[in-house]
Amino acid sequence: MSRFIEIVEVGARDGLQNEKVVLEPADKIELVRRLDACGARRQEVVSFVNPKRVPQMAGAEEMIAELAGAPGRSRIGLVLNERGWDRAVAGQCDEANVVVCATDGFGIRNQGASSAEQIATLAAIAAKRQAEGGPPISLTISVAFGCPFDGEVSEDQVVAIAQEGAALGLAEIALADTIGVADPWTVRKRVEAVRKVIGDIPLRMHFHDTRNTGIANAYASVEAGVRILDASVGGLGGCPFAPAATGNIGTEDLVYMLERAGFETGLDLGKLIETAHWIGGKIDKAPVSGLSKAGPFPKPAE
Amino acid sequence: MSRFIEIVEVGARDGLQNEKVVLEPADKIELVRRLDACGARRQEVVSFVNPKRVPQMAGAEEMIAELAGAPGRSRIGLVLNERGWDRAVAGQCDEANVVVCATDGFGIRNQGASSAEQIATLAAIAAKRQAEGGPPISLTISVAFGCPFDGEVSEDQVVAIAQEGAALGLAEIALADTIGVADPWTVRKRVEAVRKVIGDIPLRMHFHDTRNTGIANAYASVEAGVRILDASVGGLGGCPFAPAATGNIGTEDLVYMLERAGFETGLDLGKLIETAHWIGGKIDKAPVSGLSKAGPFPKPAE
């Protein structure tokens, strides 16, 4: 089994999406470039949503024009509907990450569409790509471990959506613990169940640390064979359903855990910690990641 | 394999030991009683150190006189030397937890004795107990995954100390990641290695969340067969070697993860969260645990 774990940096998108301070596109572009310098090869950088609804994500066109097509870097745009897909294609995004909610309760409140309607949209987008071209498509199944409106989400619900996605010939499928409620035992079972139905399509996992289980869930995923994980520098981000809670698992915490155990990530821990403090200064909020507070171990040679 | 996980509550001892606000013994006694009401059966409540050196731990005699011998509850006193043992015996502590540092660097700075000298002290205490009686003895091997002074700690170092402890007929042996540097892969390997040499003696694990790996390390321990874990309510505590860092893994975070996966702990999550906020008010510091910020999932029925 490979010792390389690919970390998809989502700080500029998921990380900033729930922050109170709304950054200018130029600052977000600088964040992405600083993360490039940390070694990030894949970054989710924009969300093709309505900037009137999500002002934190304004300037997607400007950003992607500046960022897409960089050699050896993949810039991912989040897509919630066909309009978003058209914007991703027009902007020449390197990848499109299409979200399908596992529950109707979350889907209708968050994207104005039921889970089934979102699957139909995904199929329409995949067909459009087949006919007209466009970037590779990832599917992210959100609220895959629990929903703030519908409560528990069953493995069957998640597996069914993954199976539909797999039939569409997608480049990657991801399970997202959007509100941070998963435990590592369930993660492991769900990873195994989904891998059975998606065959060779790579599985990515996306964890929030809302209830302090995010790093344990990442560990359980790797133990179950997952080799692609989302994380955000500094543990940026929050949860609109738990205002005091923390956000995505921190990139530097994940890198620390993995590299301490002999995995490779291609990321520079020291630079990540610097970047966590830099972006913390920009949004006026100290980073919450453990590494940004405690530093690496053993201490790097001076 | 049993689905019951025993959580040893260390909030009143390890949790408060590094806090800036020094509580009166009466407040610490109230914390212990509130934790009793949460369902805690074993609590580390005092440290028999010199209160001039560690003012947070003053009043040990007063506390243990009040607390020891309660039906169905075990009150543990931390012991670093023979003087501490004598105090634990005199106070009729229900259990004594004797610390041996895995490294000389930490041992000499923290306890004024090398690792070998501490093992000799442990042997002397065990002999004294054999001859004169006294409470059951646990051994906690501190800095078992890394030392702020000596750096990396090898598995062999830890296994050797565990083996010496096992030969003394102790009631329990624990590995402590005192400065929060362990990763879950190493935890699992070290648990397996130590279990090989301690036979039927129960193994307890003690994690700090300094680098956000504490809950992952707890999960890895349970997967490796461990059934006893330390935790502190609210994630109380800090790390003198990383002033900005957080403390022990939070009891409510651990309970949440375990019970969500079908384990039993006998602890009441809602009451733990209340207690975390109560003690946070006493020490003027909001609790850092995920559950105290985000609440349980699914939401309890109203």
Side-chain angles (χ1 to χ4, degrees):
Chain A
M1 183 81 75
S2 160
R3 297 299 287 175
F4 184 78
I5 307 286
E6 182 178 63
I7 297 179
V8 179
E9 173 62 48
V10 300
R13 204 283 300 168
D14 203 12
L16 293 177
Q17 182 171 296
N18 289 308
E19 289 299 335
K20 273 186 204 147
V21 174
V22 175
L23 294 184
E24 291 300 318
D27 287 328
K28 293 188 282 183
I29 290 170
E30 184 173 354
L31 174 61
V32 172
R33 295 212 193 283
R34 283 177 183 251
L35 290 162
D36 283 350
C38 294
R41 314 295 294 182
R42 282 179 84 194
Q43 291 194 54
E44 194 165 280
V45 295
V46 294
S47 180
F48 293 111
V49 287
N50 184 341
K52 283 181 192 148
R53 281 196 59 196
V54 191
Q56 291 92 336
M57 293 291 103
E61 269 70 15
E62 178 187 342
M63 288 179 65
I64 205 71
E66 188 78 24
L67 293 167
R73 312 282 177 182
S74 186
R75 313 305 191 184
I76 307 167
L78 196 76
V79 164
L80 304 185
N81 48 40
E82 286 189 66
R83 170 87 189 99
W85 169 256
D86 293 340
R87 291 171 67 191
V89 173
Q92 297 187 293
C93 248
D94 301 306
E95 291 178 59
N97 182 19
V98 181
V99 176
V100 168
C101 301
T103 66
D104 290 338
F106 201 83
I108 288 164
R109 281 173 187 83
N110 203 53
Q111 296 174 223
S114 69
S115 184
E117 286 166 344
Q118 292 175 28
I119 294 169
T121 297
L122 172 68
I125 289 170
K128 213 165 176 178
R129 178 177 182 276
Q130 191 79 14
E132 302 166 13
I137 299 171
S138 306
L139 160 63
T140 294
I141 303 172
S142 71
V143 292
F145 295 91
C147 170
F149 307 111
D150 295 0
E152 296 289 5
V153 172
S154 74
E155 186 177 289
D156 289 350
Q157 277 171 277
V158 175
V159 167
I161 299 170
Q163 199 154 18
E164 302 224 40
L168 297 170
L170 306 179
E172 182 179 81
I173 292 178
L175 307 188
D177 184 18
T178 309
I179 59 166
V181 295
D183 71 82
W185 287 273
T186 303
V187 165
R188 193 152 182 168
K189 271 187 258 170
R190 218 153 272 204
V191 163
E192 284 162 6
V194 167
R195 289 184 78 188
K196 271 187 201 148
V197 300
I198 68 171
D200 290 338
I201 300 174
L203 178 61
R204 174 172 49 84
M205 299 297 285
H206 176 103
F207 294 113
H208 283 244
D209 207 19
T210 321
R211 285 168 186 82
N212 211 6
T213 57
I215 294 288
N217 293 335
Y219 165 66
S221 301
V222 172
E223 284 292 89
V226 169
R227 288 297 175 269
I228 317 171
L229 289 159
D230 286 354
S232 79
V233 67
L236 274 178
C239 180
F241 308 101
T246 50
N248 294 93
I249 56 172
T251 309
E252 56 273 26
D253 290 352
L254 185 56
V255 168
Y256 172 80
M257 176 181 76
L258 292 169
E259 300 213 331
R260 191 136 173 75
F263 289 94
E264 291 159 28
T265 65
L267 289 159
D268 184 308
L269 194 52
K271 285 186 187 169
L272 282 170
I273 293 171
E274 276 176 40
T275 305
H277 287 291
W278 176 82
I279 188 67
K282 286 277 169 193
I283 62 168
D284 199 23
K285 194 166 120 179
V288 297
S289 63
L291 268 287
S292 66
K293 295 182 224 170
F297 180 88
K299 291 216 175 95
E302 309 257 309
Chain B
M1 182 83 72
S2 161
R3 298 298 287 175
F4 184 79
I5 308 286
E6 181 178 64
I7 297 179
V8 178
E9 173 62 48
V10 299
R13 203 283 301 166
D14 203 11
L16 294 177
Q17 183 171 296
N18 288 307
E19 290 299 336
K20 273 184 203 147
V21 175
V22 174
L23 294 185
E24 292 299 317
D27 287 328
K28 294 188 280 183
I29 290 170
E30 184 173 353
L31 174 60
V32 172
R33 296 216 194 278
R34 283 178 182 250
L35 289 163
D36 282 350
C38 296
R41 315 294 294 183
R42 282 178 83 193
Q43 291 193 55
E44 194 165 281
V45 295
V46 296
S47 179
F48 294 110
V49 288
N50 184 341
K52 284 181 192 149
R53 280 196 59 197
V54 191
Q56 292 92 336
M57 294 293 103
E61 269 70 13
E62 178 186 342
M63 287 180 66
I64 205 70
E66 188 78 22
L67 292 167
R73 314 281 176 182
S74 186
R75 314 304 191 183
I76 307 167
L78 196 77
V79 164
L80 304 185
N81 48 40
E82 287 188 66
R83 170 86 189 102
W85 168 255
D86 292 339
R87 291 171 67 192
V89 173
Q92 296 187 293
C93 249
D94 301 304
E95 292 177 58
N97 183 20
V98 181
V99 176
V100 169
C101 300
T103 67
D104 290 338
F106 200 84
I108 288 163
R109 281 171 188 82
N110 202 54
Q111 295 172 224
S114 69
S115 185
E117 286 165 343
Q118 292 176 29
I119 294 169
T121 297
L122 172 68
I125 289 171
K128 214 164 177 179
R129 179 177 180 274
Q130 192 78 14
E132 301 166 16
I137 300 171
S138 307
L139 160 64
T140 294
I141 304 173
S142 70
V143 292
F145 296 89
C147 171
F149 308 111
D150 294 0
E152 296 289 6
V153 172
S154 73
E155 186 176 290
D156 289 349
Q157 277 171 276
V158 175
V159 167
I161 298 170
Q163 200 154 18
E164 302 224 39
L168 298 170
L170 307 179
E172 183 181 79
I173 292 179
L175 307 187
D177 183 19
T178 310
I179 58 166
V181 296
D183 71 83
W185 286 274
T186 303
V187 166
R188 195 155 179 164
K189 271 186 259 170
R190 218 151 272 203
V191 164
E192 284 162 6
V194 167
R195 288 183 79 188
K196 271 188 201 147
V197 300
I198 67 171
D200 290 337
I201 300 174
L203 178 61
R204 174 171 49 85
M205 298 297 285
H206 175 104
F207 294 113
H208 282 244
D209 207 20
T210 320
R211 285 166 186 83
N212 211 7
T213 57
I215 294 286
N217 292 335
Y219 165 66
S221 301
V222 173
E223 283 292 89
V226 169
R227 288 295 175 270
I228 316 171
L229 290 159
D230 286 355
S232 78
V233 67
L236 274 178
C239 180
F241 308 101
T246 50
N248 295 92
I249 56 172
T251 309
E252 56 274 25
D253 290 353
L254 185 57
V255 168
Y256 172 80
M257 177 180 77
L258 292 169
E259 300 214 331
R260 191 138 173 73
F263 289 93
E264 291 158 28
T265 64
L267 290 158
D268 184 308
L269 193 51
K271 284 185 187 167
L272 282 169
I273 293 171
E274 276 174 40
T275 305
H277 287 292
W278 175 83
I279 188 67
K282 286 277 170 194
I283 62 168
D284 199 22
K285 194 167 121 178
V288 298
S289 64
L291 268 287
S292 65
K293 295 182 223 169
F297 179 87
K299 291 215 174 95
E302 307 257 311

